[in-house]
Amino acid sequence: MKLRKITIEDEVYLYVMKGNIDFSSQVSTLSLKIFLSDYKQTPLFVNFVTWDDPIIGHPLNFGFPLFKLLTGEKEVVNLNRPEYVRACILYGLEKGWNGKNKLEPLDGLEILSNLGYDVSILTIKKEDSTK
């Protein structure tokens, strides 16, 4: 898959998205891998773990309406739009990633939640093992 480019505050970042589906559990992970230009050994990983739709796949890869708490309206969130990649990079920078160091993978739904979206519709419901 081809790397895409985004510039933030005079720094050039390259990124790629890749999806993975666990068919047995119906769990879909869309991973965003971000590099500071010339530092491919220290990427930032952001994982968006949701349910899988058998027709469209990962809901955030094609656009999914999420309730925005600030506006009280639904907005279609598509992770292919640069504004969300930018938000992930800025969040990673806040968490201590500088492009030249490694960081544990970040929770993408937490990032969307911090942007004011209600992500509860995307979260995977755990089976109650006491039944």
Side-chain angles (χ1 to χ4, degrees), residues 6 8 82-92 111-112 115:
I6 187 169
I8 301 172
E83 68 184 278
Y84 299 109
V85 175
R86 181 180 195 282
C88 289
I89 292 170
L90 293 175
Y91 189 81
I111 294 171
L112 292 177
L115 291 173

Side-chain angles (χ1 to χ4, degrees), residues 24-72:
S24 63
S25 65
Q26 299 281 301
V27 173
S28 178
T29 302
L30 190 62
S31 295
L32 182 59
K33 187 177 187 180
I34 305 165
F35 308 92
L36 177 60
S37 185
D38 298 326
Y39 291 91
K40 292 188 179 182
Q41 299 300 316
T42 52
L44 174 67
F45 290 97
V46 182
N47 296 324
F48 296 84
V49 180
T50 69
W51 40 263
D52 177 59
D53 184 283
I55 296 172
I56 66 166
H58 195 288
L60 296 172
N61 193 32
F62 295 98
F64 191 81
L66 293 178
F67 186 74
K68 183 91 179 216
L69 300 171
L70 186 62
T71 63

Side-chain angles (χ1 to χ4, degrees), residues 64-69 109 112-113 115-123:
F64 191 81
L66 293 178
F67 186 74
K68 183 91 179 216
L69 300 171
L109 294 184
L112 292 177
S113 181
L115 291 173
Y117 293 102
D118 177 3
V119 297
S120 61
I121 194 168
L122 295 173
T123 57

